[in-house]
Structures are given as C-alpha cells and as structure tokens.
Amino acid sequence: MPLDTPRPWCRQAASWALNCGLVSGLVFGLVALAHAQAALPSPVKVEIAVQDPRTQALQAWWWRPAAPVDDGPVAQATSKPRPAVLLLHGCAGMLNSQGLPNERMRVYSQLLAHQGWHVLALDSFASRGVREICTRSSAQAAAVNLSTRVEDVRVFLRWLTGQQTVDSRKLAVVGWSNGGSTLLDLTHRSSNAPAQDAEALQASLRLAVAFYPGCAARQRLGYQPIVPVVLMVGLADDWTAPEPCLQLASDAVRVHAFPGAYHGFDSNGPVRFRSDIRLGTRSEGVHMGGQPEAREQSRELLVQALKEALRPDHSGR
C-alpha cells in the first residue's frame, strides 16, 4: 500500500490532520452521485488586473459549485456563500493547444466543484506571453519566477474574498510542481513580508496542498507555514526530489509519499523519459507520468483534506 511505507513521515496536526492510512473509495462514489444530481455549468473566463510590465491583467477560469451530495438541491447550494479553491498550474502552463484549460485543470476543477466549492484556475503564463518554463537550463532564470507567482496568488485570493457568492473565510489553494513550490513560498512566515499579508492569509486561507513541489530551497532556507499544508510526493521523483519535502513534515505540514511514483503521478499518461528537461536530480533528464494507485489515492486524500478544512462552522457557514 503506497502510504504504508512512508508512514513515519505522516505527522498529524492537533486539530486538522487526517488519518495517515488509506482513505476509502468514497470520493469517486460521491462524484458519480453528484454527476447524477447536478450538472456543472460551463466555466467562466475572468480577467483580473495586476501590476506587471508585461500585461495589464491575468486570466482565470471559474467553475461555479454544484450542490454537494449531502446538501440537497442546487438552489440550496447556491443560496449561501461557498468555499473556494484556487488552482495553480505547473511549469508547463495550464492551457492546451486550443487555448483552454488542460486535462488536469478540468478534471480537478470538476472534481472539486462537485463537492460544492467554487474553483478558480489561475493562469500565470499566457497573458505574459509565456508558454512554459520547464525546458530552460539551470543557468536561465524563469520567465515567470516564484515571487511573481506568489503575488499573482495574493491578487486572486483578494478577488475571491470580494465575491458575494464566496465564503471569504474558507479558501484553499492547490498547486502542482512549480505551482506547489509557489505555495511553499506563499505560506512561509517571512520577516521580509508585510505583517498584513500574513494576517490576510490567516484570515481566509484554510489549507494549502502541493503536488510534487520543489522543496529543496524551503528546506534549506527554513519553512514556517502560517496555515496547514499538505504535500503529495512521489518517492521515485527524479525531477523534484522527495527527500527535502519529507524533511518538512511537522505538526503543520502533512506529507503523503507514494512509493514508485514519479513526477506527475496523478496524470493519466504513461511514464516517459524527458531528455529535454535538465532541471531534475540528473542531468540526463527526468521521468514523468501517472501511477494509477497514487493518482486515485492522492485525489481521495485531497478531497478529504479540503472537506475537513472547509467544513461549515457552528454558524452553518
């Protein structure tokens, strides 16, 4: 079982952590039932102003929530503010060849919207004229760096808190690879950041989840998360090494590690070797591709963690 071997790395926070054992197949049964109860509306493309010399605005796709399985008809689900989840793409960007959200963004957006949450998939690349930053050399600076992406997230979180249909006290962020690394910087308590930034995050952000992020820099420089964090890593990952992520495990950082899983283990594609990517642990290239068990279990763990973090409080919100 993929989570049995790394069990020592699964550490529980006092109030929010999940059981380190495997979650049942509940999620996919719920999703199937949700599909039967309510169809999702098409996502809405939104543009939000940013301060950047390359663009005046960034774009995102907004999926409105369906009625969750345990919450009655759609009318009830849309009659009160709902939690929202912001999605952050990896270094390959989030658009397909048609200029629309790629398969990963569509799958996760639909999965989470069917739980009764708003989902906003943020594109940090296209509006800046950037297609991808995966294939650069180690000597080249990223066309969109982590600091820029952190500011993007702050802008879009502020936008979400201003939407009447969004519960501004119940936000979460999920990122993949470079987007996951962005989350680590976003959630780190830095002495250089304005205090109001941390206060704003703590007031609204309930959980950050990163799939196979690059953890080496944060592990080396120190990491003091200001919100609960969940890391999903593959123990065979030769692109973003899992060891630094494992070392970040603490009461505030839950790490789920999957033996035999490579970078991109939650995808549907087969494992393949990418010789054009030289930013991994080996100069020859990296492996990436899906592992069915890790894919299903990580999605179940994601939904369970979000349910715990975004659950209604005593006031019913």
Side-chain angles (χ1 to χ4, degrees), residues 80-241:
K80 59 183 179 180
R82 286 279 168 183
V85 184
L86 181 64
L87 306 185
L88 306 181
H89 60 77
C91 66
M94 65 166 278
L95 302 184
N96 60 23
S97 58
Q98 287 75 46
L100 297 172
N102 61 26
E103 180 184 14
R104 173 175 282 115
M105 288 294 148
R106 295 195 310 272
V107 167
Y108 278 94
S109 295
Q110 292 165 6
L111 171 66
L112 301 181
H114 272 298
Q115 306 303 318
W117 306 320
H118 293 274
V119 183
L120 190 67
L122 164 60
D123 182 0
S124 285
F125 286 2
S127 295
R128 293 185 169 105
V130 176
R131 182 178 178 184
E132 56 88 16
I133 59 173
C134 303
T135 57
R136 73 185 192 280
S137 72
S138 58
Q140 290 178 302
V144 180
N145 60 31
L146 293 184
S147 296
T148 298
R149 297 202 68 186
V150 166
E151 290 307 310
D152 292 349
V153 175
R154 294 190 190 279
V155 169
F156 277 73
L157 288 176
R158 285 195 294 268
W159 183 84
L160 280 170
T161 62
Q163 305 307 303
Q164 292 184 345
T165 57
V166 172
D167 185 343
S168 62
R169 301 174 302 170
K170 290 186 172 59
L171 305 182
V173 186
V174 181
W176 288 263
S177 194
N178 185 266
S181 302
T182 300
L183 292 188
L184 294 180
D185 281 5
L186 172 75
T187 57
H188 172 60
R189 186 184 299 278
S190 172
S191 59
N192 298 323
Q196 59 266 31
D197 287 349
E199 293 171 359
L201 275 182
Q202 289 176 311
S204 59
L205 192 60
R206 292 290 168 262
L207 183 68
V209 182
F211 283 76
Y212 33 88
C215 297
R218 279 271 61 95
Q219 190 274 327
R220 183 178 67 254
L221 298 173
Y223 184 45
Q224 299 180 26
I226 59 176
V227 299
V229 175
V230 174
L231 305 181
M232 309 275 194
V233 300
L235 291 180
D237 197 327
D238 56 4
W239 187 343
T240 53

